[in-house]
């Protein structure tokens, strides 16, 4: 029977151990154990721990659980406890076990080593620079591209205007693109009025007109 | 009055005075702007490959869009054409499909797959007597393979792989290149397909395409595809394939084109991202000097993977690290540690931390080549991820360095730097810092100067921080903090009470930092 613990997770940081794999350190607090379960531990060689449980009918079920890794360490009421990853079980089933119940000195030593010794020192991959890497897949775009707003880009500013096509159009510079192209003024007025206003404002010039005196 | 009209007439001859302001403005707009000569009608009507359903309503109703949507075939017609027996129809249908699949927004990958066209496309790939058809089919399949894993799987499941590998040898360069591209997409999906391609002998077929007269565009695609064949772990690519690819990769690394250089460096970075055996295969090619050179390349797209590759290499054995040091990496690292881009700083600090994890002769080279000042700057000014790597560099340094080297480190300001980081939230970083402090005390012990060091740390505000850490929620942190206090800041003091400079036994020397020498 798998002892069931309801975790209240107190997550520490996502962390790397020197061996290079990600270690997500979670502290789980034990809830009260089911009243009729009395885990008793017998010592086994190497990294195994045997949990002996008695149920109501006083049958003894002996099952062996193998410790895969020691993940963390804490001291609770003066007792040293280790967080254990069990072989064959997912991380959700990690449990805190008292130090004196365990007989996996090599795994404990390995854990302590990883926590304290930086001088073995070499750490593989700094990790999360995935965004910089080259694309895994590439689509080949059509050589004749979409134009204007259909390109799905954001307007940056208007750099020119003409009505020689018969309607007023703007030459639009888009964000994140060096390729400007034409858009109908009507469309721009609706979709990016502020950009249009900026264009006109930049080109406003004020003129004074002759007063009555100057005319004579 | 007649006089007024004459006056008005005269005034209207002046450039601007007396003219209707609205008319003037209009004139200015049409006269004053410079435009490029664009074929406007053509460019308006050249809206390719839109289906009405993919447009918002107002755009759909615009006459421009409607007229253009009718230019491309609706899917039913495409299906009919592709499935026909007539070569012209097949080509027309396949081309129409290709154009749909190439549109900038929302290409209908799934629709084409669901229409059952893939097996036909794969058949077309094998029709050597119909190069146009081959090309369109290859392009269409390339774009489908560029989608999600599901899309790529559809392409592979319909038998495209052997057909594409065969197309690599096509006498038509653009068709061969398209095959290279498609295979790159398939390899990029993950280790499984990558290894299937390798099993199908894609590597020799690709390498055979490299010749002195191969156009740059082709080589760019080829290099990218090769990099995808080197990519991914769990498992790594087979060593035999790596051995095959490396000589060509080395060749490509000596070219000048930035895209080729970038993807070649990425390939090397994937190959060196493994155990020391993998690193060895790379180092033995002698490519390390060129990589160090490329770390200084003006294009970030080249420098970044070059830095990553070197970072991977110095995470290997001391010997492998020495190869990088001998190649001059220490001269290049400082400017990267000061790079405006945070991720570059971080990777540079990480590389430094691994070199600092080496033997003291390598640590000596760090000092000689002036790596300490930029390290201290990073501790002070770097963003958190950079600071974290810099902290590791300091701790590794204190762990492997001689007493003299540790003194050097303290004098450079690194101790102050790490003390200032004791207030971060990251418990692991705090632990690494405290280990550094511990190591520095060990060095001080050898000189009999632990008290001086305690004073210095107190002066730098470290004692306060360490005392506070005794209340930290992480038990390893508070235990380590407590141990430090007990051992080096004790002498019967009550834990947590701040030491006043007027208390007996402590001489508070304000100049301690400046004159401090172990």
């Amino acid at each position: 029977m798998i002892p069931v613990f309801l975790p209240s997770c107190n997550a520490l940081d996502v962390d790397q151990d020197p061996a290079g794999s990600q270690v997500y350190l979670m502290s789980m607090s034990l809830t009260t154990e089911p009243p009729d379960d009395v885990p008793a531990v017998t010592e086994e060689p190497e990294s195994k721990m045997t949990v002996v449980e008695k149920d109501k009918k006083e049958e003894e079920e002996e099952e062996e659980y193998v410790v895969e890794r020691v993940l963390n360490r804490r001291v609770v009421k003066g007792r040293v406890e280790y967080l254990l990853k069990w072989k064959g079980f997912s991380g959700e089933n990690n449990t805190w076990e008292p130090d004196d119940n365990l007989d996996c000195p090599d795994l404990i030593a390995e854990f302590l080593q990883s926590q304290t010794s930086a001088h073995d020192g070499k750490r593989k991959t700094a990790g999360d620079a995935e965004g910089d890497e080259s694309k895994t897949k590439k689509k080949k775009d059509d050589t004749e591209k979409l134009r204007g707003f259909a390109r799905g880009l954001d307007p940056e500013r208007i750099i020119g205007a003409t009505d020689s096509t018969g309607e007023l159009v703007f030459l639009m510079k888009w964000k994140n693109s060096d390729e400007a192209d034409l858009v109908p003024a009507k469309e721009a007025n609706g979709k990016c009025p502020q950009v249009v206003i900026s264009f006109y404002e930049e080109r406003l010039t004020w003129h004074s007109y002759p007063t009555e005196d100057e005319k004579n | 009055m007649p006089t007024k009209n004459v006056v008005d007439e005269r005034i209207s001859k002046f450039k601007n005075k007396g003219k209707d302001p609205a008319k003037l403005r209009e004139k200015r707009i049409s006269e004053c702007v410079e435009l490029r000569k664009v074929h406007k009608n053509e460019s308006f009507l050249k809206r390719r490959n839109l289906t009405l359903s993919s447009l918002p309503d107002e755009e759909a109703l615009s006459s421009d869009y409607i007229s253009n949507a009718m230019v491309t075939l609706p899917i039913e017609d495409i299906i009919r054409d592709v499935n026909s027996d007539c070569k012209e129809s097949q080509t027309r249908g396949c081309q129409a499909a290709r154009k749909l699949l190439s549109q900038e927004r929302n290409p209908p990958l799934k629709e084409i797959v669901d229409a059952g066209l893939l097996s036909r496309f794969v058949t077309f790939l094998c029709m050597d007597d119909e190069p146009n058809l081959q090309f369109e089919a290859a392009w269409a399949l390339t774009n489908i393979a560029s989608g999600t894993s599901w899309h790529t799987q559809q392409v592979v499941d319909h038998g495209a792989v052997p057909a594409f590998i065969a197309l690599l040898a096509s006498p038509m360069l653009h068709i061969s290149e398209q095959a290279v591209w498609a295979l790159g997409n398939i390899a990029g999906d993950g280790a499984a397909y990558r290894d299937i391609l390798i099993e199908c002998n894609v590597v020799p077929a690709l390498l055979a395409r490299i010749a002195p007269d191969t156009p740059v565009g082709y080589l760019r695609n080829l290099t990218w595809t090769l990099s995808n064949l080197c990519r991914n772990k769990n498992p790594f690519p087979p060593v035999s394939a790596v051995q095959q690819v490396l000589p060509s990769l080395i060749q490509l690394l000596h070219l000048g084109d930035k895209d080729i250089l970038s993807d070649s460096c990425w390939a090397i970075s994937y190959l060196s991202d493994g155990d020391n055996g993998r690193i060895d295969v790379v180092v033995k090619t002698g490519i390390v000097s060129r990589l160090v050179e490329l770390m200084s390349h003006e294009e970030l797209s080249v420098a970044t993977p070059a830095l990553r590759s070197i970072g991977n290499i110095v995470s290997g054995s001391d010997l492998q690290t020495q190869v990088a040091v001998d190649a001059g990496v220490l001269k290049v690292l400082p400017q990267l540690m000061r790079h405006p881009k945070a991720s570059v700083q971080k990777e540079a600090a990480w590389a430094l931390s691994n070199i600092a994890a080496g033997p003291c002769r390598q640590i000596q080279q760090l000092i000689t080549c002036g790596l300490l000042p930029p390290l201290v700057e990073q501790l002070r000014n770097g963003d958190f991820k950079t600071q974290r790597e810099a902290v590791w560099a300091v701790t590794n340094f204190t762990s492997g360095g001689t007493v003299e080297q540790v003194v050097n480190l303290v004098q450079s300001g690194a101790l102050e730097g790490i003390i200032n980081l004791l207030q971060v939230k990251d418990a692991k970083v705090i632990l690494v810092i405290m280990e550094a402090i511990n190591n520095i005390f060990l060095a001080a012990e050898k000189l009999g100067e632990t008290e001086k060091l305690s004073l210095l740390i107190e002066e730098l505000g470290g004692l306060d921080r360490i005392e506070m850490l005794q209340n930290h929620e992480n038990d390893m942190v508070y235990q380590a903090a407590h141990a430090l206090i007990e051992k080096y800041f004790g002498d019967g003091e009550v834990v947590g009470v701040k030491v006043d400079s007027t208390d007996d036994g402590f001489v508070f020397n304000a100049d301690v930092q400046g004159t401090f020498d172990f």
Side-chain angles (χ1 to χ4, degrees):
Chain A
M1 282 220 308
I2 303 169
V4 173
F5 299 102
L6 300 174
S8 70
C9 291
N10 218 12
L12 298 175
D13 57 319
V14 177
D15 180 49
Q16 300 165 37
D17 70 8
S21 55
Q22 296 287 337
V23 174
Y24 186 78
L25 300 179
M26 245 188 356
S27 75
M28 293 160 65
S29 56
L30 299 167
T31 59
T32 55
E33 298 155 7
D36 43 306
D37 275 8
V38 181
V41 176
T42 58
E43 300 211 38
E44 292 288 316
E46 289 305 304
S47 58
K48 292 183 185 171
M49 177 177 120
T50 304
V51 176
V52 177
E53 296 179 283
K54 299 175 187 165
D55 66 7
K56 286 177 188 161
K57 294 172 188 162
E58 294 181 337
E59 272 175 17
E60 286 198 357
E61 288 176 48
E62 222 178 278
E63 295 202 28
E64 269 184 20
Y65 298 96
V66 178
V67 179
E68 187 181 294
R69 250 168 51 129
V70 174
L71 297 175
N72 206 346
R73 178 185 182 278
R74 71 181 183 190
V75 179
V76 172
K77 295 175 184 165
R79 255 182 6 164
V80 174
E81 293 180 350
Y82 290 100
L83 181 64
L84 304 179
K85 163 78 170 64
W86 298 99
K87 191 162 185 178
F89 295 100
S90 78
E92 293 161 356
N93 295 309
N94 293 346
T95 59
W96 285 99
E97 300 299 337
D99 180 30
D100 30 324
N101 285 357
L102 302 179
D103 191 6
C104 47
D106 44 342
L107 290 181
I108 292 179
E110 198 182 301
F111 164 73
L112 292 174
Q113 253 261 310
S114 76
Q115 293 305 300
T116 57
S117 78
H119 46 258
D120 284 352
K122 303 284 191 178
R123 294 170 305 128
K124 301 286 180 186
T125 55
D128 56 350
E130 303 299 331
D132 291 334
E133 289 188 2
S134 72
K135 289 188 175 174
T136 53
K137 295 178 184 172
K138 296 182 187 174
K139 174 173 142 279
K140 181 170 175 176
D141 287 334
D142 203 340
T143 43
E144 292 168 274
K145 290 200 171 137
L146 293 172
R147 294 268 155 230
F149 282 98
R151 291 166 67 187
L153 300 171
D154 286 330
E156 186 179 301
R157 63 189 187 90
I158 297 170
I159 54 183
T162 182
D163 63 359
S164 44
T165 56
E167 58 165 330
L168 181 63
V169 293
F170 296 129
L171 184 61
M172 180 69 79
K173 162 78 175 67
W174 306 95
K175 287 183 184 165
N176 302 319
S177 173
D178 289 332
E179 229 186 292
D181 56 1
L182 294 178
V183 295
K186 279 194 201 119
E187 204 181 350
N189 290 345
K191 291 190 172 158
C192 52
Q194 294 305 318
V195 175
V196 175
I197 289 172
S198 298
F199 173 70
Y200 286 127
E201 279 183 340
E202 279 164 19
R203 286 153 181 80
L204 281 177
T205 50
W206 304 108
H207 292 268
S208 62
Y209 291 93
T211 63
E212 286 299 313
D213 297 332
E214 287 175 31
K215 278 185 187 171
N216 301 326
Chain B
M1 282 171 42
T3 4
K4 190 164 189 273
N5 285 343
V6 168
V7 169
D8 282 343
E9 248 191 84
R10 264 187 51 222
I11 283 177
S12 71
K13 287 188 180 124
F14 281 58
K15 183 175 182 190
N16 286 330
K17 277 196 187 316
K19 288 202 168 125
D20 176 23
K23 284 215 170 74
L24 283 176
R25 202 174 303 131
E26 269 183 65
K27 202 174 164 203
R28 269 198 298 278
I29 287 175
S30 62
E31 282 176 350
C32 296
V33 179
E34 285 178 17
L35 291 165
R36 292 193 302 214
K37 295 292 180 197
V38 182
H39 295 127
K40 298 146 195 101
N41 282 331
E42 263 184 280
S43 71
F44 269 135
L45 293 176
K46 261 185 195 163
R47 296 191 198 284
R48 293 268 161 212
N49 312 319
L50 293 171
T51 55
L52 291 179
S53 58
S54 68
L55 290 173
D57 287 344
E58 54 169 44
E59 283 183 36
L61 293 174
S62 141
S63 59
D64 294 331
Y65 286 85
I66 289 179
S67 66
N68 196 68
M70 309 230 271
V71 168
T72 53
L73 290 172
I75 282 211
E76 306 85 56
D77 291 356
I78 292 178
I79 298 175
R80 186 203 60 216
D81 277 346
V82 169
N83 285 322
S84 77
D85 292 319
C86 156
K87 298 278 162 57
E88 287 80 33
S89 306
Q90 290 169 346
T91 310
R92 184 179 61 215
C94 197
Q95 185 182 78
R98 177 268 286 178
K99 290 188 176 188
L100 277 182
L101 293 166
S102 312
Q103 67 194 25
E104 215 166 311
R105 269 197 316 191
N106 302 325
L109 303 196
K110 189 163 194 295
E111 285 91 312
I112 296 289
V113 171
D114 288 344
L117 295 177
L118 292 199
S119 19
R120 289 296 273 176
F121 290 163
V122 173
T123 315
F124 296 161
L125 287 181
C126 306
M127 292 162 70
D128 289 339
D129 47 341
E130 292 293 331
N132 288 337
L133 195 49
Q134 277 185 327
F135 180 62
E136 296 289 352
W139 187 340
L141 287 168
T142 299
N143 283 1
I144 296 181
S146 76
T148 64
S149 274
W150 180 82
H151 294 113
T152 310
Q153 183 184 4
Q154 297 305 314
V155 171
V156 173
D157 285 352
H158 282 85
V161 168
F164 274 124
I165 296 183
L167 270 185
L168 290 175
S170 167
M172 320 276 292
L173 210 58
H174 67 297
I175 295 181
S176 167
E177 187 175 353
Q178 200 55 59
V180 171
W181 192 326
L183 291 167
N185 278 344
I186 296 172
D189 184 63
Y193 283 155
R194 171 201 74 199
D195 290 344
I196 287 177
L197 288 184
I198 292 175
E199 289 270 304
C200 294
N201 287 317
V202 73
V203 173
L206 284 169
L207 299 185
R209 307 303 309 179
I210 302 178
D213 59 349
T214 310
V216 158
Y218 191 107
L219 283 179
R220 285 182 188 139
N221 273 315
L222 189 88
T223 310
W224 175 71
T225 295
L226 285 178
S227 78
N228 271 358
L229 287 167
C230 298
R231 195 169 191 164
N232 289 309
K233 310 201 268 189
N234 304 312
F236 282 101
V239 179
S240 53
V242 172
Q243 303 271 24
Q244 270 188 314
V245 170
L246 267 174
S248 298
L249 221 39
I250 306 302
Q251 265 189 308
L252 293 166
L253 270 167
H254 282 97
L255 298 180
D257 180 78
K258 66 172 169 67
D259 294 328
I260 294 178
L261 287 176
S262 174
D263 280 325
S264 305
C265 284
W266 280 118
I268 299 286
S269 78
Y270 307 144
L271 294 177
S272 54
D273 178 9
D275 62 39
N276 295 358
R278 295 261 166 188
I279 295 177
D280 222 40
V281 175
V282 172
V283 170
K284 283 203 158 54
T285 64
I287 198 56
V288 173
S289 312
R290 178 61 173 155
L291 289 170
V292 171
E293 207 185 337
L294 290 174
M295 281 166 73
S296 307
H297 198 277
E298 70 232 3
E299 293 289 333
L300 202 53
S301 61
V302 177
T304 299
L307 171 57
R308 173 75 62 82
S309 301
I310 293 291
N312 286 340
I313 289 170
V314 301
S315 78
S317 69
D318 293 345
L319 277 174
Q320 292 163 342
T321 305
Q322 193 60 42
V323 173
V325 172
D326 292 342
V329 67
L330 296 183
K331 289 190 190 57
V332 176
L333 226 38
Q335 80 216 44
L336 293 176
M337 291 169 74
R338 296 176 168 124
H339 198 277
K341 193 159 186 236
S343 60
V344 174
Q345 279 199 17
K346 182 197 76 172
E347 298 254 322
W350 166 63
L352 177 64
S353 76
N354 274 334
I355 301 175
C360 53
R361 64 184 158 82
Q362 284 177 352
I363 293 180
Q364 188 55 42
Q365 287 180 288
L366 289 181
I367 298 175
T368 319
C369 294
L371 273 304
L372 289 183
L375 178 59
V376 173
E377 280 168 40
Q378 283 189 328
L379 285 169
R380 204 178 296 137
N381 306 327
D383 79 340
F384 177 65
K385 289 181 178 173
T386 301
Q387 288 172 325
R388 178 163 52 186
E389 299 300 329
V391 160
W392 274 106
V394 171
T395 305
N396 288 349
F397 195 116
T398 60
S399 169
T402 63
V403 171
E404 234 183 86
Q405 290 169 338
V406 174
V407 170
N408 228 306
L409 177 72
V410 172
Q411 288 178 332
S412 73
L415 176 57
E416 179 174 6
I418 60 175
I419 284 175
N420 287 335
L421 290 174
L422 276 171
Q423 92 287 1
V424 301
K425 298 236 183 334
D426 191 320
K428 182 66 189 237
V429 170
I430 298 176
L431 284 172
V432 176
I433 295 175
M434 291 210 280
E435 183 184 343
I437 296 176
N438 237 317
N439 290 343
I440 299 174
F441 267 114
L442 291 177
E445 272 176 16
K446 292 180 187 162
L447 295 171
E449 304 213 350
T450 51
E451 279 196 22
K452 265 195 185 173
L453 179 58
S454 305
L455 274 178
L456 174 60
I457 291 178
E458 187 179 354
E459 159 77 357
L460 294 173
L463 178 56
D464 287 344
R465 293 182 194 229
I466 299 173
E467 280 177 347
M468 286 212 298
L469 287 174
Q470 291 177 118
N471 300 324
H472 199 274
E473 57 183 11
N474 180 308
D475 69 302
M476 287 194 287
V477 169
Y478 78 67
Q479 280 172 26
H482 187 65
L484 258 183
I485 301 274
E486 288 253 292
K487 204 167 174 203
Y488 300 113
F489 298 93
D491 289 353
E493 304 289 334
V494 177
V495 168
V497 171
K498 194 177 188 311
V499 175
D500 195 312
S501 60
T502 58
D503 276 359
D504 49 276
F506 271 75
V507 176
F508 198 81
N509 183 351
D511 292 332
V512 153
Q513 187 185 351
T515 61
F516 183 81
D517 54 341
F518 273 124

